[in-house]
Amino acid sequence: MSTLMEFTTQSGAQVVVEADGPQPGAQLVSRGGNSLVQAGRTLDEALHGIRSAAESALNVFREGSLKPDGVELEFGVKLTAEAGAVIARTSVEGHLTVKLSWAPNGAEAEAEAR
């Protein structure tokens, strides 16, 4: 059973997300017949750990011997009232997709010339 959870951003905006079932430690509030779980932290605070994880992963791939021209990270992020943002799992493992790309030498030289 899913429930609606309300986060507030640092700027004060309200963001409602769908979550799986009631979350422990959250307060149920009612608005016009809808049941909302009030998140215990702001959306910005909840996403802080995910940003730190992305920064760490980018550093690993940029500083390694591969030296890609581009790094693309994809996290499955799940929002919970108690834990904030967590990396969601697909089947048994955590969800993280990494794509590395390299430009052919000609394209790189052409881009530098512009």
Side-chain angles (χ1 to χ4, degrees), residues 33-48:
N34 292 331
S35 181
L36 289 177
V37 174
Q38 191 68 41
R41 58 177 79 176
T42 68
L43 182 62
D44 306 71
E45 292 168 339
L47 291 173
H48 182 77

Side-chain angles (χ1 to χ4, degrees), residues 20-84:
D20 292 333
Q23 303 297 316
Q27 294 177 332
L28 292 175
V29 295
S30 178
R31 284 199 178 156
N34 292 331
S35 181
L36 289 177
V37 174
Q38 191 68 41
R41 58 177 79 176
T42 68
L43 182 62
D44 306 71
E45 292 168 339
L47 291 173
H48 182 77
I50 300 298
R51 183 183 69 201
S52 295
E55 288 171 348
S56 292
L58 284 173
N59 286 337
V60 166
F61 292 110
R62 287 181 177 157
E63 294 173 2
S65 61
L66 295 175
K67 303 290 184 208
D69 295 318
V71 178
E72 182 179 321
L73 298 175
E74 179 183 311
F75 288 86
V77 177
K78 183 175 186 175
L79 296 170
T80 69
E82 186 174 83

Side-chain angles (χ1 to χ4, degrees), residues 69 101-114:
D69 295 318
S101 61
W102 292 265
N105 289 337
E108 193 174 295
E110 184 181 317
E112 288 178 11
R114 290 183 198 175

